[in-house]
Every structure is written in C-alpha cells, then in structure tokens.
C-alpha cells in the first residue's frame, strides 16, 4: 500500500467533527472497569458491552474509528456479522491494539517498556485479513524522582518506531501513543518538559526508521498538572502548554493528533480539547481517541443489564456528540444538560 492510501485512512480518522473510540482494553483492564460497576468479566459480557457501544444508532456522526482488542476483533454481533464488518458497514473504520502491554524495564526501577515486537509482522497481516485498517501501540512513561530516564524514553521511542514501520508495511495506519502518565505531584512545567522530551525522541526514531509521517497519527497525553499537584492548571493553561509542546515537536506532515484521556474526567477531557480547537487553525487536526472519557457514563448507565442497553447507548451517543462539538471549538458545558 502506498503512502496516499495510508494518508486517506489517517485523514478519515480525523475527519471534521469526528474522533476515535478506544475500546481496546485488555482482558485485565476491562475486568477492572467491570469491577467498578460490580459485574463479572465473562467473554459474553465483554461481547455484550462492546456490541452495545458499536451498534449505537447515529454514533458514526461523531465516531470515525474504533480501536478493538484481539478478543473483540474475533467476536461478532447477534446475527454473526464480525464486529469489524459491522463497524465498517456503519462507515466506522475498524482498528486494533497490537502491543502486548508495558512490562518492567530491566535495570530501571519504576520504569516500563512496551513489548510485542516479536512476531508482529505476522500478527499485523492477520489483523489486516480480519478487516483492520489501523493499529495502536502504547508506550508508558512515568514521572517521579529521577524518572523518566533517557534509557526508558529512547527504548520506548525505538519500539514505537519499529512498530510504526511494520504497521505501514502491512498497509495499516499506525497510531503512535507515547503516554506520559499524569500520576504524581509534579507541576505542569515538569509535565511539559517530560512530554516534550518524549515526543522529540519519538519523532527522531520515526524519522530514522523511515516512517511516513503522512500515513500515521500521534496519540499523546495532554500536558496537565500531576493529579496530586496542589496547584491544578486551568483548561486555558492546559491548552496553552499542550499546544506549545506539539508545535515544538510534531511535524506538520502528520495529519492528526488524537489525544488519550488518561484519567481526566469526561467533561474535562472534552472542555480542554474544545479550548485547543477554538484556538485553531493548527498544522494538524486535533481530535480524540478516548477510552474512559467516552465510555465511563455509558458503562455506568448499562450496568451489565440487558434491559439498560438503551440507556448505555444514549450516554455513549451524548459523550461522542460533546466531543464531536469540541473538535471544532463549538462545545459549551451547557450542552451537557441539554437533551441528548
Ligand atoms: P484513556 O482515554 O482511558 O486514557 O484510554 C485511551 C487509550 O487508548 C489508552 O491506551
């Protein structure tokens, strides 16, 4: 596949007014989410939950693509249509998480490296055959006393670029996700310094490994005050620092930037994206690839009860619509209480 075809997929994922649903929680992570509403994580419940999200009527107005997990891309809707086909028929681009999780980094207490490069070429070809058009790989960088180390930053950047190059080779648009965690009591200037260093390393590796920037998307954290920092930056300060970081590190050849929500409340994640887009235009589309910030109210409204699928879908549609408005700086908190 040529770079033009990859670019067309990347651009469709950041089409105006739309963004991505990250529904690629691993079996361990979705179990934690289900625990929070007191339901058991069985294969059937996980399928029912994802089916509810994917079949929400009209959500394709605001959702361009869905990132699935290995189990999910092999599951089907009620009539036996595989989820990837069900989404594609609605005009939603199917995607897949391909990393194998962040593991302890040798000789680096408190730091992690993401695994999954062994056998990746073969897995990518299989996912393409199952209907995936794009992929995701998440690296995790923690902030704390003496960390992140250069060793952790560059090891993760190198792996991200190896993944991205293989993904493009398979004809799949890579979503490159270097997540700087916002856990800790550090201030927003520390978050800016670390996020900037990490993004710089990632683009150096992407360049060295000949990744086509036009055929990828970046999935970064927003630059925030650490969650335990006594002084919490305002939405305007978050937008200012995040845009500063991106302008300094992300080439304009990249078609789009799709933020993770990373534990922000759903309304904070929407409001901050909105402020950034209101300050546009920018060299790249600024969109969302939220997991928790799109799903949390829906998960709660559903509660594992087949009778409450409608309520779960209404909650998901509402968050998708709010974030769709934030894509063009047209969101206002008053819209939260207006009829969905
Ligand atoms: P959150 O938006 O919940 O951070 O999840 C996005 C994601 O895909 C993390 O890898």
């Amino acid at each position: 596949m040529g770079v033009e075809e990859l670019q067309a997929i990347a651009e469709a994922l950041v089409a105006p007014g739309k963004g991505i649903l990250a529904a690629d929680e691993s079996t361990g992570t979705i179990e934690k989410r289900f625990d929070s509403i007191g339901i058991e994580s069985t294969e059937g419940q996980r399928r029912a939950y994802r089916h509810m999200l994917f079949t929400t009527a009209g959500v394709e107005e605001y959702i361009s693509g869905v990132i699935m997990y290995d189990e999910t891309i092999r599951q089907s809707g009620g009539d036996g249509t595989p989820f990837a086909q069900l989404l594609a028929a609605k005009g939603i681009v199917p995607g897949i998480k391909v990393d194998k999780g962040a593991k302890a980094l040798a000789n680096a207490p408190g730091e992690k490296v993401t695994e999954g490069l062994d056998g990746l070429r073969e897995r990518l070809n299989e996912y393409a055959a199952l209907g995936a058009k794009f992929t995701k790989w998440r690296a995790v960088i923690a902030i704390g006393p003496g960390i992140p180390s250069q060793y952790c930053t560059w090891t993760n950047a190198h792996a991200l670029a190896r993944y991205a190059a293989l993904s493009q080779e398979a004809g799949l648009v890579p979503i490159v996700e270097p997540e700087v965690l916002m856990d800790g009591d550090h201030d927003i200037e520390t978050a800016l310094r670390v996020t900037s260093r990490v993004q710089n390393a990632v683009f150096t590796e992407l360049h060295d490994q000949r990744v086509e920037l036009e055929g990828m998307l970046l999935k970064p954290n927003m630059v925030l005050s650490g969650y335990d920092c006594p002084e919490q930056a305002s939405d305007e300060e978050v937008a200012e620092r995040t845009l500063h970081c991106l302008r300094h590190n992300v080439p304009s050849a990249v078609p789009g930037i799709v933020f993770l929500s990373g534990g922000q409340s759903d309304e904070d994640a929407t409001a901050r994206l909105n402020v950034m887009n209101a300050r546009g235009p920018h060299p790249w589309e600024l969109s969302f690839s939220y997991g928790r910030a799109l799903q949390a109210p829906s998960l709660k409204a559903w509660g594992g009860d087949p009778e409450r699928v409608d309520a779960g879908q209404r909650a998901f549609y509402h968050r998708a619509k709010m974030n769709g408005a934030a894509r063009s700086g047209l969101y206002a908190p008053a819209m939260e209480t207006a009829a969905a």
Side-chain angles (χ1 to χ4, degrees):
M1 187 182 283
V3 66
E4 294 80 12
E5 287 147 291
L6 290 169
Q7 186 169 357
I9 297 166
E11 286 174 354
L13 288 169
V14 291
K18 294 187 189 185
I20 298 169
L21 166 67
D24 60 330
E25 299 85 358
S26 63
T27 307
T29 302
I30 197 75
E31 189 174 344
K32 281 192 232 153
R33 305 277 184 268
F34 280 10
D35 278 352
S36 75
I37 55 162
I39 67 165
E40 204 191 335
S41 180
T42 62
E43 199 260 353
Q45 277 293 44
R46 293 191 292 271
R47 195 199 69 82
Y49 175 60
R50 267 74 180 243
H51 185 259
M52 172 185 79
L53 296 174
F54 300 169
T55 56
T56 298
V59 83
E60 59 275 14
E61 294 166 60
Y62 312 112
I63 299 294
S64 56
V66 170
I67 317 174
M68 288 179 277
Y69 180 59
D70 181 77
E71 176 185 81
T72 320
I73 201 171
R74 300 173 195 282
Q75 289 174 324
S76 303
D79 65 355
T81 308
F83 279 150
Q85 274 73 58
L86 184 151
L87 290 166
K90 279 168 82 84
I92 296 177
V93 185
I96 179 80
K97 181 233 295 293
V98 301
D99 67 68
K100 295 211 158 182
K103 309 285 162 60
L105 177 64
N107 299 326
E111 299 193 288
K112 290 185 169 173
V113 64
T114 300
E115 296 189 346
L117 289 169
D118 287 354
L120 181 57
R121 176 176 276 131
E122 292 71 26
R123 290 196 294 121
L124 289 166
N125 289 333
E126 189 195 359
Y127 288 136
L130 288 169
K133 301 287 179 215
F134 71 100
T135 62
K136 186 195 96 170
W137 179 290
R138 172 175 178 253
V140 183
I141 309 284
I143 298 180
I147 64 170
S149 63
Q150 290 297 306
Y151 162 41
C152 173
T153 300
W154 284 95
T155 305
N156 275 292
H158 183 82
L160 275 166
R162 284 193 63 193
Y163 139 75
L166 281 164
S167 185
Q168 290 190 336
E169 179 193 87
L172 300 168
V173 169
I175 298 190
V176 173
E177 180 179 9
E179 175 172 7
V180 179
L181 297 175
M182 291 300 141
D183 301 308
D185 60 3
H186 56 273
D187 61 13
I188 192 166
E189 298 307 332
T190 305
L192 173 59
R193 196 174 65 248
V194 172
T195 305
S196 191
R197 186 77 196 96
V198 166
Q199 290 180 5
N200 175 269
V202 167
F203 279 97
T204 302
E205 287 289 344
L206 290 168
H207 186 266
D208 284 357
Q209 298 189 42
R210 305 172 186 170
V211 172
E212 300 277 12
L213 300 183
E214 290 83 355
M216 63 160 277
L217 297 173
L218 179 72
K219 177 164 175 169
N221 51 287
M222 292 184 196
V223 175
L224 310 175
S225 314
Y227 291 134
D228 296 328
C229 179
E231 231 172 87
Q232 289 293 309
S234 66
D235 293 351
E236 282 68 26
E237 287 167 323
V238 167
E240 212 283 306
R241 301 299 196 287
T242 304
L243 289 170
H244 174 97
C245 186
L246 297 172
R247 272 198 310 272
H248 283 244
N249 294 294
V250 185
S252 56
V254 174
I257 292 167
V258 291
F259 293 103
L260 58 93
S261 59
Q264 300 175 72
S265 77
D266 37 0
E267 292 183 22
D268 279 350
T270 307
R272 290 162 178 171
L273 177 64
N274 187 67
V275 176
M276 283 188 257
N277 275 310
R279 293 184 179 199
H282 303 294
W284 349 256
E285 291 292 325
L286 286 185
S287 185
F288 56 90
S289 174
Y290 294 159
R292 284 161 286 180
L294 271 170
Q295 295 182 46
S298 177
L299 180 66
K300 216 168 139 204
W302 171 62
D305 181 350
E307 305 280 305
R308 282 154 54 189
V309 164
D310 275 0
Q313 291 187 329
R314 272 198 304 280
F316 174 47
Y317 181 87
H318 177 72
R319 282 267 49 84
K321 185 175 175 179
M322 296 301 99
N323 286 300
R327 282 283 285 107
S328 37
L330 295 174
Y331 166 79
M335 292 160 67
E336 296 289 351
T337 44

